[in-house]
Amino acid sequence: MADLLPPRPSSPPTLTDDFTRGLDAGKWVPHYLPHWTVPERSEARFAFVEGGLELRIEQDQLDWRPDDAPLRVSNLQTATYFGPVGSTAGTHRHRDDGLVVETHTPQRLLFTPRHGRIDLTVAASTDEGCMLAAWLVGTEHLSETDAGEICIFEIDASAIGSTTRARTGIKSHHDPRLTTDMAEVTLPFDARGPHTWTVIWGDGETTIGCEGQVVRRLGQAPDYPMVLMIDLFEIGGPVGAYPKTAVIGGVTAWD
C-alpha cells in the first residue's frame, strides 16, 4: 500500500496564493537573493497565465552574479535578510569565496515559518538547460548557523518524460546540527503538467511528498525561521528558444 500524506490541517492557512490577483507584495519578494547582487540581475521575469504565475527566463536577461555565470534565474521568495553592504552576513551563503553583500534593500520577513506544512502546485520546465526548484532555507537573521535547507524538489528539464526524476531532501550548508541527505526519486508522471508537492517539518522530522504520496521521510528538521523560495534557473549559457518557462499554480501553507 502506498505511504499517503496526512490530510491538510483543518485550521485556516497562514499563507495562500493562486496568483489570480497578481503578485502580492505582502507575500512575495520577486528577486533571487538580492543582497548578493544588484537589482537588475536579481529581479524575476514573470507573467500571469491561465493556471498561475509563469516564471520566465528571457533572452536579454542578465546572469544573476558575474562570479556565478552562466546562471540566470527568476525567483519568488518570502523574506530577505542581510548585513551591511560589504559584509558576508545574509541568507543562503552559497559560496565561501568572495561573497559579500552588494545591495541594501529593506529587510522583509513576510513568511518565515519554523515548522508546519506547505502544499505547492507547479508545472516544471522542459526548456533546454532549465531547472525548477523549491526550497526552504534558513533566514540566518537570528544566527549564521540557522542556514540549513529543506530541498522540496529540484527538477531538471532533461529529467522529464513519461516519468520524472527529482532531487529532494536536506542540505546542511552552514548548520552543523544537520546532515546533508539528498536523494533522487522517480515520479510516475510527466512533471511538465501541474502537480502538487508537500513538505511537513518539525519536532525533528521532515516528510516530503508529491501528489499525496510520501517520497521521503527524514529524521531531522531545521528548527528556526525559514524562507520559501521557488525558482526557475537556466544553468549554462544561452541556448534554444526563449522565453523559457515554468508555472507556479498555487501555494498553501500552515505554520
Side-chain angles (χ1 to χ4, degrees):
M1 181 179 293
D3 193 359
L4 301 180
L5 290 166
R8 286 182 163 193
S10 58
S11 58
T14 310
L15 171 69
T16 183
D17 201 345
D18 62 5
F19 304 102
T20 56
R21 297 185 179 184
L23 188 71
D24 188 337
K27 297 176 180 178
W28 302 103
V29 177
H31 287 261
Y32 181 67
L33 300 170
H35 45 290
W36 300 133
T37 186
V38 294
E40 58 267 29
R41 293 183 178 273
S42 64
E43 187 173 14
R45 305 283 183 97
F46 59 89
F48 298 102
V49 298
E50 183 177 356
L53 181 145
E54 181 183 75
L55 294 172
R56 300 164 68 99
I57 302 295
E58 297 178 331
Q59 193 158 22
D60 67 341
Q61 196 163 338
L62 298 174
D63 288 304
W64 172 57
R65 294 178 71 245
D67 287 350
D68 288 284
L71 178 70
R72 302 195 285 184
V73 56
S74 288
N75 166 80
L76 300 185
Q77 61 187 62
T78 61
T80 53
Y81 161 73
F82 49 88
V85 172
S87 76
T88 59
T91 298
H92 200 41
R93 291 167 287 131
H94 68 288
R95 57 190 296 169
D96 296 321
D97 57 327
L99 186 68
V100 297
V101 175
E102 292 193 26
T103 299
H104 176 85
T105 56
Q107 177 175 303
R108 305 181 70 193
L109 303 175
L110 303 176
F111 176 65
T112 55
R114 299 180 71 107
H115 48 72
R117 172 175 176 146
I118 298 174
D119 291 350
L120 169 63
T121 299
V122 296
S125 176
T126 56
D127 294 309
E128 187 174 359
C130 281
M131 177 183 80
L132 180 67
W135 305 322
L136 285 161
V137 177
T139 61
E140 302 188 44
H141 76 280
L142 301 179
S143 169
E144 66 178 11
T145 62
D146 293 348
E149 173 192 325
I150 299 174
C151 174
I152 307 171
F153 64 82
E154 295 173 347
I155 302 174
D156 297 325
S158 59
I160 299 173
S162 58
T163 61
T164 297
R165 300 186 312 278
R167 294 179 297 277
T168 183
I170 285 177
K171 303 175 190 177
S172 61
H173 294 303
H174 296 90
D175 184 349
R177 297 159 293 188
L178 297 176
T179 299
T180 294
D181 184 351
M182 292 289 293
E184 186 174 84
V185 299
T186 299
L187 309 172
F189 55 82
D190 185 329
R192 81 186 75 190
H195 60 286
T196 299
W197 288 85
T198 298
V199 59
I200 303 168
W201 80 105
D203 297 325
E205 295 184 350
T206 300
T207 300
I208 299 170
C210 187
E211 288 294 281
Q213 297 192 358
V214 174
V215 297
R216 297 215 64 198
R217 292 190 187 274
L218 301 107
Q220 56 178 334
D223 185 20
Y224 38 77
M226 309 284 280
V227 50
L228 174 63
M229 306 176 67
I230 310 169
D231 0 80
L232 176 64
F233 292 90
E234 181 189 56
I235 301 167
V239 63
Y242 292 88
K244 301 180 178 183
T245 64
V247 175
I248 308 172
V251 179
T252 307
W254 297 260
D255 64 1

